[in-house]
Amino acid sequence: MNIFLYELKAYRKSTIMWTSALVVLVILFMSMFPSIYKEINEFKKLLEGFPEGVRKALGIQVDTIGSLNGFYSYIFLYITLCGAIQAVNLGISISSKEIREKTADFLLTKPVTRTKILSSKILAALTSLLFTNIVYVSAAITVANVVKVEDFNLYVFLLISLTLLFTQLIMFAVGIIIAVVFPKVKSVISLSLGVVFGFFLIGMVAAAEKATRYLSPFKYFDYSYIMNQEGYEWSFLILGMFLIVLSLIGSFVIYNKKDIHTV
């Protein structure tokens, strides 16, 4: 039994659904840009009426909102939110499916190690996330070129877009460790929404101070910094990688040692 292919097939429809949702979102949001660009002065005045704390929480940069990358960085927060739900949902699902569906006895009696089982599941999930991002980035670039009013920095656009994958990897790893520690999950989507929106709300509160940004993966990438410096903040990038590695190692250790009830 090829666990990798089995899991890839099992989550095929879900992957296509989430990928389609992200593509629809970027088309919907970016289609607004030409109209907003024509009325950019009025739009900026509207945004300036918001308290500074609210603007930071929502990721609004009034100075750059009139550029395509500036507008994209604003709407991208909500695209990332959707992508994070996909990632956490996938992480929790692959780690708890056998227990939820009471099929653990079938899988664990096969001549394969638990490490092989979990690594195959993770590889299948990462393949799904990679597929989502390839399709999304391709669609986003296409849409950007269609709606652009003037030339934009494609490199910066790609840097912003790739933060979706980085954020998804972090949230995916968090989802796995949660499912391994608490395997008896009754509703995957409910738990996924709770985890994602919990981090999202923390990120909104933490937006004002750099020190508190470490508490939420949604704030690891400052789009204003990316546009100005054409790069990422290494401290947050390293922290994100550390969380991913730590969560995956912890998941393997716990998964290999814990008793898994088959009924």
Side-chain angles (χ1 to χ4, degrees):
M1 179 178 63
N2 192 314
I3 300 174
F4 168 76
L5 294 178
Y6 177 83
E7 294 295 332
L8 203 59
K9 183 178 180 180
Y11 292 100
R12 178 180 56 191
K13 292 182 180 180
S14 175
T15 301
I16 293 175
M17 181 190 72
W18 283 107
T19 303
S20 300
L22 292 176
V23 171
V24 169
L25 279 177
V26 74
I27 293 174
L28 177 63
F29 284 137
M30 292 300 286
S31 64
M32 302 176 185
F33 178 70
S35 299
I36 291 176
Y37 183 84
K38 292 179 181 178
E39 306 292 337
I40 191 60
N41 291 328
E42 288 75 9
F43 189 61
K44 284 184 176 180
K45 290 179 181 179
L46 175 64
L47 295 178
E48 288 172 350
F50 293 175
E52 184 178 357
V54 174
R55 294 202 302 269
K56 286 185 177 181
L58 297 177
I60 300 174
Q61 299 292 332
V62 178
D63 294 338
T64 60
I65 197 72
S67 67
L68 187 140
N69 280 336
F71 180 77
Y72 181 61
S73 68
Y74 165 59
I75 61 100
F76 193 72
L77 176 63
Y78 306 99
I79 293 174
T80 303
L81 179 63
C82 183
I85 296 173
Q86 176 195 10
V88 175
N89 186 74
L90 193 57
I92 295 175
S93 295
I94 66 167
S95 304
S96 63
K97 182 172 65 174
E98 278 71 38
I99 295 177
R100 285 184 290 106
E101 298 179 358
K102 299 181 180 180
T103 58
D105 53 342
F106 172 77
L107 182 61
L108 297 177
T109 53
K110 298 296 179 182
V112 289
T113 64
R114 290 192 182 188
T115 297
K116 175 68 174 180
I117 293 172
L118 188 57
S119 59
S120 297
K121 286 171 170 285
I122 290 175
L123 185 58
L126 293 179
T127 301
S128 296
L129 292 178
L130 186 60
F131 169 81
T132 294
N133 279 269
I134 290 174
V135 174
Y136 169 78
V137 172
S138 300
I141 293 174
T142 301
V143 174
N145 279 287
V146 170
V147 304
K148 69 177 182 180
V149 179
E150 54 189 26
D151 290 337
F152 65 99
N153 191 324
L154 180 59
Y155 178 66
V156 170
F157 188 90
L158 285 172
L159 286 177
I160 295 173
S161 299
L162 286 175
T163 63
L164 171 63
L165 177 60
F166 295 145
T167 304
Q168 282 188 314
L169 291 177
I170 296 171
M171 300 304 290
F172 170 70
V174 170
I176 291 178
I177 192 72
I178 289 175
V180 171
V181 174
F182 307 103
K184 295 183 179 181
V185 179
K186 294 183 179 180
S187 176
V188 175
I189 190 62
S190 297
L191 180 57
S192 300
L193 290 173
V195 171
V196 171
F197 281 108
F199 277 119
F200 186 75
L201 291 175
I202 291 173
M204 294 182 70
V205 175
E209 298 293 337
K210 183 175 181 178
T212 53
R213 283 175 53 200
Y214 291 100
L215 299 175
S216 173
F218 287 104
K219 293 301 177 181
Y220 285 5
F221 301 98
D222 185 339
Y223 302 129
S224 178
Y225 180 92
I226 293 174
M227 287 187 287
N228 292 329
Q229 304 297 325
E230 297 189 2
Y232 303 129
E233 295 174 90
W234 280 102
S235 59
F236 289 99
L237 195 60
I238 292 173
L239 175 60
M241 293 178 180
F242 174 76
L243 289 176
I244 293 170
V245 173
L246 183 63
S247 296
L248 291 180
I249 291 176
S251 298
F252 275 104
V253 171
I254 297 172
Y255 189 78
N256 279 319
K257 292 184 176 181
K258 73 180 304 179
D259 292 329
I260 298 180
H261 301 288
T262 59
V263 293

